[in-house]
Amino acid sequence: MAECCCNPQKDQHGTCCTPMPGWVLGALKTPAGEVCRVSTEWSWPDQWGRIKSRISAFRMKYPVGPGLYAVGEPGPESDVMVTANYKLSFDILRGALKGLNAWILVLDTMGINVWCAAGKGTFGTGELIRRIRETQLDRIVNHKRVIVPQLGAVGVSAHEVREESGFSVHFGPVYARDIPAYIHSDYTASPGMRSIRFSLMDRLVLTPMEVLPAMKNYFIYALLILVIFGLQPGAIGWEKVWAGGSPFLLLGLVSVFAGAFATPLLLHFIPSRSFGIKGWIAGVILIFPALGLMHWPQTGHGLLILFSCLFFPAVSSYLALQFTGSTPFTGRSGVEKELKIAVPLYGAALAASFAVLILFKLKEWGIV
């Protein structure tokens, strides 16, 4: 997946691994060899890659080759910006450096963004030291500093980097767009540059990656529900498939909406620090009114309502809990603690709700 020839990643014969992508403008000669010079403008393929990485698992297959890159016409005194080899992170950084002359040092984070990679340890001290050495950065720049994004600070030990490589680590602003102001302020970040805003629009951009995976599982759920409600002793009662199952198809959609869309959007307004509880509250608020619109069969409708009250708020809660990895408010220890509490509760809710559903079917068949 390496982009060369100007990147020092070639195959065993020393030739280019792949053709140079459109965002590479050519090569810049340095004392340590040629370095790719990259554009600060986004092409249509870059924009399309951004869209795909926001709405699908494509984000897991969107890396850029690690190594050293150049923006503009950098020289020995130009700044060195560090980022991950997730291409969207790389694109955002190079776009923010428009009008500047700088070096971009890309770490091998296995295609994961800076913040997540720092938590996993791939955007870390050892990889930064290794990349400084492999690119022979000390031969390319006269100064001894690298600028690491603030969201990567949890993975980087500045004093270890300095001891092992001789380079000091400066932690830059949260957002790449603030880098020019940070540089012009003599590498001083204002309080605003240290703050993560996580606005409504920021959360809205992330919701497709919550909704779409949930909808893939929804179709499996829908098939299972239709089969269960159509199932009769010795056969499938096709007249009961839609009549019995359709209310639960709607309630399933409501629970997906509550947990994967409404909860992220209303994150600041739903009480509780727990994402699982937030999702459960959103599920209750949206699902209970929907229950009043359902047309229930005369036999066993109380059991169906009980099943709905147990199952659908739990689904909403589970989906909301998945959003913890997309927010700047949670740490690994907090997520692990919440999962230890939530997973057994989800298991209990699932077991209880399906026990109630089985009881309903037995009653419908006249067995109990």
Side-chain angles (χ1 to χ4, degrees):
M1 197 66 191
E3 287 84 11
C4 26
C5 299
C6 50
N7 192 299
Q9 298 185 36
K10 299 180 171 64
D11 64 18
Q12 59 183 342
H13 303 295
T15 57
C16 293
C17 303
T18 61
M20 288 187 292
W23 44 266
V24 174
L25 302 178
L28 185 68
K29 291 185 178 180
T30 75
E34 291 187 338
V35 173
C36 289
R37 191 165 66 86
V38 301
S39 172
T40 57
E41 302 292 338
W42 286 30
S43 64
W44 165 241
D46 297 329
Q47 298 286 1
W48 178 233
R50 180 179 191 172
I51 293 171
K52 288 197 295 180
S53 66
R54 292 297 196 191
I55 64 173
S56 72
F58 176 75
R59 74 189 190 283
M60 304 303 295
K61 304 175 183 178
Y62 198 40
V64 62
L68 190 66
Y69 296 84
V71 171
E73 297 290 341
E77 301 302 326
S78 298
D79 291 305
V80 180
M81 308 292 172
V82 182
T83 192
N85 77 321
Y86 176 47
K87 188 169 183 292
L88 185 54
S89 297
F90 176 77
D91 286 347
I92 290 172
L93 176 57
R94 65 184 174 91
L97 298 178
K98 185 175 183 178
L100 299 177
N101 298 315
W103 305 99
I104 298 178
L105 184 63
V106 177
L107 307 189
D108 186 359
T109 61
M110 296 184 289
I112 300 173
N113 67 70
V114 171
W115 183 43
C116 293
K120 293 177 181 293
T122 53
F123 188 98
T125 304
E127 171 60 14
L128 178 55
I129 293 169
R130 180 166 51 252
R131 204 55 58 182
I132 288 173
R133 289 173 176 169
E134 288 187 2
T135 58
Q136 302 178 63
L137 194 59
D138 57 343
R139 296 180 59 194
I140 295 174
V141 296
N142 292 334
H143 58 79
K144 293 288 185 177
R145 67 175 181 274
V146 292
I147 298 175
V148 173
Q150 181 179 311
L151 290 180
V154 66
V156 176
S157 172
H159 75 273
E160 287 186 39
V161 174
R162 187 177 183 86
E163 289 175 2
E164 295 292 330
S165 69
F167 279 79
S168 62
V169 174
H170 293 231
F171 291 107
V174 169
Y175 297 101
R177 60 176 176 263
D178 290 329
I179 288 175
Y182 169 77
I183 293 173
H184 295 148
S185 300
D186 195 25
Y187 305 98
T188 301
S190 66
M193 293 181 190
R194 296 294 188 206
S195 301
I196 301 174
R197 290 173 280 279
F198 205 49
S199 66
L200 176 66
M201 184 55 65
D202 293 331
R203 301 194 299 277
L204 182 62
V205 166
L206 296 173
T207 54
M209 277 314 303
E210 305 301 319
V211 174
L212 295 177
M215 288 305 299
K216 289 181 180 179
N217 294 323
Y218 171 82
F219 290 110
I220 299 174
Y221 155 82
L223 179 62
L224 181 62
I225 281 292
L226 292 176
V227 169
I228 288 173
F229 277 91
L231 191 62
Q232 299 299 312
I236 293 290
W238 295 106
E239 72 283 355
K240 292 182 175 291
V241 168
W242 182 252
S246 58
F248 298 93
L249 300 186
L250 176 60
L251 289 171
L253 288 174
V254 172
S255 64
V256 170
F257 176 83
F261 186 80
T263 301
L265 246 61
L266 302 175
L267 198 63
H268 299 312
F269 305 101
I270 303 175
S272 177
R273 291 177 59 86
S274 165
F275 280 65
I277 294 176
K278 285 177 181 287
W280 186 85
I281 292 172
V284 168
I285 291 174
L286 292 175
I287 290 166
F288 276 24
L291 287 174
L293 302 176
M294 301 292 104
H295 296 288
W296 306 102
Q298 290 184 349
T299 303
H301 72 278
L303 292 173
L304 293 180
I305 293 175
L306 178 58
F307 164 78
S308 301
C309 293
L310 289 169
F311 183 72
F312 294 111
V315 171
S316 175
S317 172
Y318 173 78
L319 294 175
L321 191 57
Q322 308 310 302
F323 194 63
T324 55
S326 301
T327 74
F329 305 138
T330 54
R332 175 182 289 184
S333 60
V335 173
E336 290 176 350
K337 181 179 179 181
E338 185 166 1
L339 284 172
K340 286 181 180 179
I341 298 172
V343 170
L345 292 177
Y346 294 145
L350 183 65
S353 58
F354 273 92
V356 171
L357 190 58
I358 291 170
L359 182 60
F360 164 76
K361 293 300 295 184
L362 294 176
K363 189 171 183 178
E364 182 186 48
W365 297 343
I367 297 177
V368 295

